């Protein structure tokens, strides 16, 4: 089982809809979670990070963590065509300098 | 805030040729630095990380190597490229805590 699982999509929704992106993880150690947005042929851009269960909001984006079910989500409100990108969830792999473990990413398409 | 530079942006190399990709970081000191590879359909794979000058940890055994000659410089190298080395190479650095910030990437095509 992969440590971080993510549905690759594509996920296509109409402009203005609420988008829900989800990941599951298997290793409960070192629970620091991040969401990245990656446009085609660009480096990933950090959107949000959290280490707590519950919700964290930043503008149109809300990150949600449910540690009991090992489930993390990213919600996008009032989705825009400019939100079309691949969204990557990640968690830290260990303490200290260890790198991140990424899901494979969900390709999101917002239809105008 | 930190800025990460990578070059070249795109590279086409023949099989068996050497490789040198460079990453430099501005706006921070003594960062942890990382090299990832992103292949189509396979997600981001951590290749190397470094906590300081001359300190390199390898995550995946392969024909690639990394070096950190200066605090904010990280280099990815190969003596002989394989077809399987094709991919999108990303340099990242820590930004405080566990978060990592990525550079623009180098797209490598080995023919």
């Amino acid at each position: 089982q992969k440590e971080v699982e993510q549905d690759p999509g594509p996920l296509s929704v109409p402009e203005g809809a609420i988008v829900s992106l989800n990941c599951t993880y298997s290793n409960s150690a070192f629970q620091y979670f991040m969401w990245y947005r990656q446009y085609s042929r660009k480096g990933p851009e950090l959107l949000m990070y959290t280490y707590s269960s519950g919700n964290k909001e930043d503008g149109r984006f809300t990150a949600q963590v449910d540690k009991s079910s090992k489930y993390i989500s990213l919600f996008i409100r009032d989705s825009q065509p400019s939100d079309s990108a691949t969204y990557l969830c990640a968690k830290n792999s260990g303490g200290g300098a260890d790198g991140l473990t990424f899901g494979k990413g969900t390709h999101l398409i917002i239809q105008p | 805030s930190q800025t990460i530079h990578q070059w070249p942006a795109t590279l086409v190399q023949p099989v068996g040729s050497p490789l040198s990709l460079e990453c430099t970081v501005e706006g921070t000191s003594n960062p942890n630095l990382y090299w990832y590879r992103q292949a189509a359909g396979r997600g981001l794979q951590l290749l190397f990380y470094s906590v300081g000058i001359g300190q390199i940890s390898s995550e995946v055994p392969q024909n690639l190597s990394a070096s950190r000659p200066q605090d904010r410089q990280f280099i990815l190298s190969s003596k002989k490229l394989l077809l399987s080395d094709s991919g999108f190479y990303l340099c990242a650095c820590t930004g405080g805590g566990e978060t990592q910030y990525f550079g623009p990437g180098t797209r490598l095509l080995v023919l």
Side-chain angles (χ1 to χ4, degrees), chain B residues 64-84:
Chain B
L64 299 173
S65 62
S67 62
R68 186 170 177 175
Q70 300 181 44
D71 180 47
R72 288 171 286 179
Q73 183 185 29
F74 205 22
I75 297 172
L76 183 69
S77 304
S78 174
K79 292 182 179 179
K80 288 186 177 181
L81 284 168
L82 306 173
L83 285 173
S84 58

Side-chain angles (χ1 to χ4, degrees), chain A residues 29-74:
Chain A
F30 310 110
Q31 296 177 341
Y32 206 97
F33 305 98
M34 281 142 278
W35 282 98
Y36 288 85
R37 177 176 62 195
Q38 186 175 25
Y39 292 113
S40 179
R41 308 180 80 85
K42 303 289 186 184
E45 170 193 9
L46 179 66
L47 278 178
M48 300 187 71
Y49 63 92
T50 181
Y51 53 85
S52 304
S53 283
N55 295 348
K56 180 178 181 181
E57 189 173 319
D58 184 2
R60 297 186 295 112
F61 299 91
T62 299
Q64 184 179 80
V65 176
D66 182 347
K67 292 185 178 181
S68 62
S69 59
K70 299 180 183 177
Y71 201 81
I72 54 178
S73 300
L74 178 71

Side-chain angles (χ1 to χ4, degrees), chain B residues 15-75:
Chain B
V15 170
S17 64
L19 173 73
S20 181
L21 303 181
E22 189 162 345
C23 168
T24 58
V25 181
E26 295 178 355
T28 185
S29 59
N30 196 31
N32 293 337
L33 296 175
Y34 304 83
W35 279 112
Y36 289 86
R37 178 169 60 201
Q38 188 175 34
R42 298 184 64 180
L44 276 156
Q45 179 187 34
L46 179 64
L47 301 176
F48 302 94
Y49 69 89
S50 171
V51 299
I53 295 173
Q55 301 179 65
I56 307 295
S57 296
S58 174
E59 290 294 305
V60 182
Q62 55 206 328
N63 69 319
L64 299 173
S65 62
S67 62
R68 186 170 177 175
Q70 300 181 44
D71 180 47
R72 288 171 286 179
Q73 183 185 29
F74 205 22
I75 297 172

